[in-house]
Amino acid sequence: METTIVAIATPIGVGGVGVIRLSGPNSLDLLKKIFTPAKPCEYVPRKMVFGNVEFNGVSDDCLAVWFKAPNSFTGEDVVEIQMHGGVKLLEETVKKLLEVGATMAQPGEFSKRAVMNGKMDITQAEGLIDMIYADSIKEMQVAGSQMRGKLYDRIKEIQNQIKDEIAHIEVALDFPEHEETFAEEKLKSELPIIIEEIDKLCNTTEVGTKIKNGVNVCLVGAPNVGKSSVLNALVGYDRAIVTNIAGTTRDTINEGYTYKNIKFNVTDTAGLRESDDIVEKEGIKRSIKSIEESDFVIFLYDNAKKQAENDEILTYNAQNFATVLNKIDLKSQNDTKKFDLCISAKEGVGIEELKELIYKKTINQSLLSEKVIITNLRHEKLLKEASQNLKKALNDLDTISLDCISVPVLRAWELLGEITGETANDSIIDAIFSKFCLGK
């Protein structure tokens, strides 16, 4: 890369320390134009230098470090300046660096340069951004695995298997009288194995998207059954207003908690009932929408009232749900055996059991043990398309010629290459890195 880019690498906001990052051939020269070491020195790679940044009458003590290419994050010469974390101070320092010859970095451009210079592949870069935005330990674990190249290695294994099949086809096309039957038999025996491996990897997206985005849980019930109290008990603090007045919650309230290293996003909904109140009717409409969009629905009942008074809520469609009887600290009007779980949100009784119930109902624990888990919908789409192409080749083996069979087989190899970046074009790469934050 000919240009030297610059950006603030730490989040915008007041803090003790802020970091400015430069990458490109002129990084060290640009540093010297605004930075004066406290003592005369020769710049040594990876050695911090204490000094002063000074421009326009502004002066700040800071540290600077130079990473010499190719031993840096981007593979280029990189300089990082650690200053006091004032918003204006960092902004003005970047402005000065732009004046002396730097170019403003685009979102994700540092990571993009790292990929272009062979310091990481695209899957590792995507794992890196997932690590930055991770909200749970499990999400960090999966992102860390991807950063270490686990996904890349797995995809390359499958690509190599496909490459072997392409080689058999090519040999058969060159020597049809000797190799054609052999190639067909190999395809019939090997393609199902490859397809199974791709589909198995693709199926981990079921749990992978929940690890990345959290499990969406919806609390549903008639007014005053204790939905807000249950939300507060699950998240561990008073997030929602609780009163004995029916209809207190008029809009959906969203909050999250972490259980067994996985994030759960809980939505407290307006009570479901007939209402002439315009605001409450809109809240009920949003409640129904939340049911449709949730991974799991908890239908709540009030122990102090007969079950029949709330039966109408079960007419709302939910694919995965449980019935929970709340307020078991009060005199019962129900057969508790008819419910999946009985709790008292007010007294904190049964809350841990409720978390465990939600966890078991929403997380496929067998998939959690997989060494590679797909969390990226781009990866899932490409895996599905690769599998479809191989299935087409397998289904057409007895009806069309080998040269035609080679087309979907080669296409499957190319699709998997888009995951690793091996066959990804510039527009795909630009789209991926446009999602990154500035300075990374």
Side-chain angles (χ1 to χ4, degrees):
M1 304 288 180
E2 295 297 326
T3 58
T4 297
I5 56 175
V6 64
I8 301 170
T10 44
I12 298 299
V14 177
V17 177
V19 177
I20 292 172
R21 175 181 285 169
L22 291 148
S23 180
N26 299 321
S27 295
L28 188 57
D29 291 337
L30 294 177
L31 172 69
K32 291 176 180 178
K33 291 181 179 181
I34 69 165
F35 177 79
T36 304
K39 297 178 182 179
C41 69
E42 293 290 332
Y43 287 94
V44 178
R46 300 177 181 270
K47 183 177 180 180
M48 283 284 190
V49 178
F50 175 70
N52 180 268
V53 164
E54 190 168 354
F55 56 87
N56 301 336
V58 176
S59 178
D60 185 43
D61 291 337
C62 56
L63 293 167
V65 59
W66 169 47
F67 301 91
K68 186 178 181 180
N71 300 314
S72 70
F73 174 72
T74 63
E76 305 172 330
D77 275 4
V78 169
V79 164
E80 291 187 358
I81 307 171
Q82 297 184 9
M83 312 178 66
H84 291 103
V87 175
K88 190 64 175 175
L89 174 61
L90 293 168
E91 289 178 346
E92 290 299 318
T93 304
V94 169
K95 187 183 295 185
K96 185 61 181 180
L97 287 165
L98 293 173
E99 289 176 4
V100 297
T103 301
M104 194 68 202
Q106 298 300 308
E109 190 170 357
F110 291 95
S111 298
K112 182 178 178 180
R113 290 190 176 201
V115 170
M116 295 301 186
N117 292 322
K119 301 299 288 188
M120 65 171 75
D121 63 75
I122 287 181
T123 64
Q124 290 174 306
E126 289 174 306
L128 173 61
I129 201 65
D130 286 347
M131 178 69 81
I132 291 171
Y133 289 115
D135 286 326
S136 69
I137 290 176
K138 188 61 182 178
E139 187 178 356
M140 288 190 289
Q141 290 171 345
V142 173
S145 172
Q146 191 166 317
M147 285 174 63
R148 291 191 299 275
K150 299 293 186 182
L151 175 59
Y152 177 88
D153 292 343
R154 189 72 195 94
I155 295 298
K156 287 301 295 181
E157 286 176 10
I158 298 173
Q159 276 192 296
N160 288 336
Q161 290 174 287
I162 296 174
K163 190 184 293 184
D164 287 343
E165 302 312 309
I166 294 172
H168 290 312
I169 294 173
E170 294 296 330
V171 172
L173 292 175
D174 290 336
F175 307 98
E177 65 280 7
H178 299 295
E179 299 292 339
E180 188 167 356
T181 301
F182 175 76
E184 289 177 355
E185 291 302 319
K186 285 290 289 182
L187 288 167
K188 287 179 181 179
S189 63
E190 298 296 334
L191 285 185
I193 297 173
I194 299 172
I195 291 167
E196 183 180 0
E197 290 184 15
I198 294 175
D199 289 347
K200 182 180 178 182
L201 190 57
C202 192
N203 288 340
T204 64
T205 311
E206 174 194 339
V207 72
T209 53
K210 292 175 180 177
I211 290 171
K212 184 172 182 177
N213 302 319
V215 180
N216 296 320
V217 180
C218 186
L219 301 175
V220 179
N224 216 27
V225 297
K227 297 184 297 297
S228 296
S229 295
V230 172
L231 170 69
N232 291 342
L234 286 170
V235 303
Y237 73 100
D238 292 339
R239 171 64 177 85
I241 297 172
V242 176
T243 75
N244 59 2
I245 302 172
T248 298
T249 301
R250 295 194 165 202
D251 197 359
T252 56
I253 298 174
N254 302 294
E255 194 53 80
Y257 70 90
T258 300
Y259 183 73
K260 292 190 174 180
N261 298 329
I262 292 177
K263 184 180 178 183
F264 292 82
N265 310 309
V266 187
T267 300
D268 175 19
T269 64
L272 297 176
R273 66 174 178 178
E274 294 295 327
S275 176
D276 295 325
D277 185 293
I278 296 176
V279 177
E280 189 174 3
K281 286 175 71 175
E282 178 60 28
I284 293 169
K285 181 180 177 182
R286 294 186 184 189
S287 297
I288 296 171
K289 186 172 185 291
S290 294
I291 294 173
E292 296 170 347
E293 295 176 348
S294 293
D295 298 306
F296 189 68
V297 178
I298 299 172
F299 287 114
L300 278 173
Y301 291 89
D302 185 343
N303 187 40
K305 298 178 181 178
K306 291 182 179 179
Q307 180 181 347
E309 296 179 32
N310 294 324
D311 272 348
E312 63 177 293
I313 67 172
L314 291 177
T315 62
Y316 294 96
N317 184 41
Q319 299 300 315
N320 192 12
F321 68 91
T323 56
V324 177
L325 184 65
N326 188 28
K327 304 183 185 179
I328 59 170
D329 51 303
L330 302 179
K331 185 177 179 180
S332 180
Q333 298 291 323
N334 297 277
D335 181 359
T336 58
K337 295 179 181 178
K338 292 183 178 180
F339 299 89
D340 293 308
L341 188 65
C342 299
I343 67 170
S344 170
K346 180 181 177 181
E347 301 295 331
V349 176
I351 299 304
E352 288 303 308
E353 289 80 359
L354 179 57
K355 290 181 178 180
E356 181 66 15
L357 173 67
I358 297 169
Y359 176 81
K360 287 183 176 179
K361 289 277 191 174
T362 57
I363 299 298
N364 187 329
Q365 295 169 64
S366 64
L367 292 178
L368 284 179
S369 61
E370 291 292 334
K371 293 181 179 179
V372 177
I373 296 176
I374 301 299
T375 62
N376 190 308
L377 295 180
R378 182 182 81 88
H379 299 165
E380 180 192 30
K381 178 176 178 293
L382 292 167
L383 286 165
K384 284 183 175 179
E385 288 185 29
S387 177
Q388 289 166 0
N389 273 273
L390 293 180
K391 287 172 183 175
K392 175 176 172 52
L394 185 62
N395 291 335
D396 292 344
L397 259 176
D398 293 327
T399 58
I400 63 176
S401 60
L402 274 179
D403 58 333
C404 294
I405 291 295
S406 68
V407 175
V409 176
L410 179 59
R411 181 56 184 153
W413 183 88
E414 292 173 343
L415 287 163
L416 295 179
E418 288 187 28
I419 296 177
T420 63
E422 189 174 357
T423 60
N425 57 40
D426 289 343
S427 62
I428 293 172
I429 293 172
D430 288 342
I432 290 170
F433 287 104
S434 68
K435 301 174 184 177
F436 280 45
C437 51
L438 193 65
K440 193 57 186 172

